[in-house]
Amino acid sequence: MDRLLNILTLTSGLLLLLVLFSVRRAHIRVEYSVSWLLAAGALLILSRSRGLMETVAHQLGITYPPLALLMVIGGVFLLMFFRSSVILSKLRDDNIALAQRLAIVEYHLQTLRDGQPHA
């Protein structure tokens, strides 16, 4: 169990560093990095706090605390991926609306250049 907790601690530390490095290099926006930082921080806290991990396992009805930790991690990252999907869907819709507006503007510009009145 200690080996698993040490690996999870190392993983959470690497995730924290990766997110901070990505924010610094402007590869990820700050508002999106906050949720990743919170998830990595929660992973770090749970992997280093044996008592908290055992409490969470007891509340979930699981006898093996590291399994409870992995379930919590899976749930947190599932929520993170869902949030990313929502953001991507909104961006796609905004992109389509922007392309349509650009087409309208190009049509109006073309009609002005041709000297034709537009309807």
Side-chain angles (χ1 to χ4, degrees):
M1 181 163 95
D2 287 335
R3 180 181 290 171
L4 175 64
L5 294 178
N6 289 336
I7 290 171
L8 289 174
T9 300
L10 180 64
T11 302
S12 65
L14 289 173
L15 182 59
L16 282 168
L17 290 174
L18 178 67
V19 171
L20 291 174
F21 181 76
S22 295
V23 168
R24 189 167 190 269
R25 297 287 182 187
H27 293 147
I28 186 173
R29 295 181 56 93
V30 173
E31 59 265 21
Y32 303 134
S33 69
V34 171
S35 53
W36 283 107
L37 289 171
L38 289 174
L43 173 60
L44 181 63
I45 290 169
L46 282 174
S47 67
R48 288 293 94 197
S49 176
R50 188 179 296 260
L52 181 59
M53 186 174 53
E54 289 174 358
T55 302
V56 169
H58 180 24
Q59 292 296 322
L60 293 175
I62 298 172
T63 58
Y64 188 56
L67 181 60
L69 176 62
L70 291 176
M71 285 182 63
V72 168
I73 291 167
V76 167
F77 286 108
L78 186 65
L79 290 173
M80 297 284 299
F81 291 133
F82 176 75
R83 182 174 179 263
S84 296
S85 296
V86 169
I87 291 168
L88 284 173
S89 295
K90 184 180 179 329
L91 286 174
R92 183 175 184 269
D93 292 343
D94 291 347
N95 193 20
I96 290 170
L98 184 60
Q100 291 171 344
R101 292 181 68 188
L102 178 62
I104 293 168
V105 169
E106 286 178 343
Y107 170 76
H108 286 296
L109 280 175
Q110 187 63 36
T111 56
L112 287 175
R113 285 186 195 143
D114 294 342
Q116 300 170 355
H118 60 283

